[in-house]
Amino acid sequence: MNRVQHRLKITAEWITEYAQSIEAPLQMIQGEIIAPVTMPIIFWQELDIPWLNIDEPWIHGSQHFSYKLPITAGMILDCELSLTNTEKKAGHQGELTLYTYTLICTCEGELILTAETVLISMGDQI
């Protein structure tokens, strides 16, 4: 299985920039800024994913986020991204391959979120 790990420091500035980029209001809990629920999708930009060919076209199939706790400014997240499934399907213009990725983030050993993302390619790109 393909897997990468990375530690991310979540800053108020990073949350604010992301929230502004998607025009989401900033929210607070116990005096800390809360990250928008979709923010983990940009965590991929911080990861070195050697098996993923970013020069090829990809279709974003789906994403799902399951939170145990909100992501707040000041957290240091230990994140692990794994390729958990590949599935080939026949498409109208040829064979499609669906790649399912699971991102698990913890803070001080406590599960914060699990995110599942499906990327679709024509043929076999990995």
Side-chain angles (χ1 to χ4, degrees):
M1 178 174 11
N2 294 320
R3 179 180 311 171
V4 294
Q5 296 177 326
H6 194 74
R7 180 168 278 179
L8 299 172
K9 177 155 178 58
I10 308 300
T11 65
E13 294 79 19
W14 196 17
I15 293 173
T16 301
E17 287 174 15
Y18 179 73
Q20 289 173 344
S21 75
I22 64 168
E23 299 180 358
L26 286 176
Q27 297 182 349
M28 306 271 290
I29 187 170
Q30 298 176 351
E32 295 291 342
I33 298 173
I34 300 173
V37 295
T38 57
M39 188 170 173
I41 200 67
I42 68 166
F43 292 177
W44 288 48
Q45 297 169 4
E46 304 297 317
L47 304 174
D48 177 24
I49 310 169
W51 68 85
L52 184 62
N53 185 351
I54 61 170
D55 295 327
E56 297 293 328
W58 292 92
I59 299 168
H60 186 228
S62 65
Q63 65 187 24
H64 178 297
F65 302 96
S66 176
Y67 279 87
K68 297 295 180 192
L69 293 169
I71 296 173
T72 58
M75 280 186 164
I76 297 176
L77 296 179
D78 290 308
C79 298
E80 180 176 279
L81 178 70
S82 302
L83 175 61
T84 54
N85 191 41
T86 59
E87 179 181 356
K88 295 196 182 293
K89 291 190 173 191
H92 293 292
Q93 297 181 6
E95 186 175 73
L96 301 175
T97 306
L98 286 69
Y99 298 92
T100 302
Y101 287 89
T102 302
L103 176 68
I104 298 172
C105 296
T106 62
C107 181
E108 298 178 356
E110 186 170 8
L111 179 64
I112 302 300
L113 80 113
T114 302
E116 186 175 275
T117 302
V118 176
L119 298 179
I120 304 168
S121 72
M122 293 291 293
D124 189 13
Q125 294 183 5
I126 289 185

